[in-house]
Amino acid sequence: KNLAVAMGFDDVTRLDLIMEKSVFDRIKELTEPKTIEDITVRLAVDEFGKTDIEILKGDKKQKSIPAKLKKDEYILKLKETKKQLTEQYSRTKSIFEKSMEDRTAFSAGELMLLLDNPVTFPVAGRLVYCFGEKTGFLTKDGLKDISGNVTVLDPKDELIIAHPYDLYKAGTWRDY
């Protein structure tokens, strides 16, 4: 908390979100294929934010890392990073669950940073947000409602994560 305040953040959640963005930025090169002997490996993040080590021998996907490479320094780095990204997904999910319950307001700019990260996007990008009386999904263009209409947002505009009660109250619960 002291570090967040010293760095000029209103609360720890803001610092956490900025740090989550920087985690992926630092390891992005590990998502590029690298060949070790006759095996090509890389970190792969699926559309749900699940991280795995992709292993190819030629064009054929392998189920596990060959025994001879298990102690390779690069493979160990991939394993450790996979663990970090799995933890990042869990942390992000927890942050947003608590933020919904606490009705924490986020700036559109803060949230848009998370849309570029394949680990945080499945959480932040698939939530419904409230902006005044409007509800919708956050996109790079703005807040997209259930009908496809987009409300352009300023990076300083504040949004909250829609609670199911917000959607019920707005009459959009079934639609979402």
Side-chain angles (χ1 to χ4, degrees), residues 36-51:
I36 303 171
E37 296 183 21
D38 59 340
I39 304 292
T40 302
V41 294
R42 74 179 188 99
L43 279 180
V45 182
D46 70 13
E47 73 230 44
F48 303 108
K50 183 178 184 274
T51 305

Side-chain angles (χ1 to χ4, degrees), residues 42-79:
R42 74 179 188 99
L43 279 180
V45 182
D46 70 13
E47 73 230 44
F48 303 108
K50 183 178 184 274
T51 305
D52 208 354
I53 299 173
E54 185 178 86
I55 307 146
L56 298 171
K57 187 172 186 172
D59 291 336
K60 190 173 179 185
K61 194 170 186 176
Q62 305 295 300
K63 290 184 180 182
S64 62
I65 299 166
K68 66 181 180 180
L69 296 179
K70 287 196 183 214
K71 299 214 183 208
D72 182 87
E73 191 175 308
Y74 191 77
I75 298 295
L76 294 174
K77 185 176 182 179
L78 287 178
K79 285 180 178 180

Side-chain angles (χ1 to χ4, degrees), residues 1 22 24 40 51 67 69 75 103-104 111 121 126 134:
K1 187 174 181 177
S22 69
F24 190 79
T40 302
T51 305
L69 296 179
I75 298 295
R103 314 287 289 162
T104 305
L111 294 170
F121 172 78
R126 292 196 170 111
K134 298 179 182 207

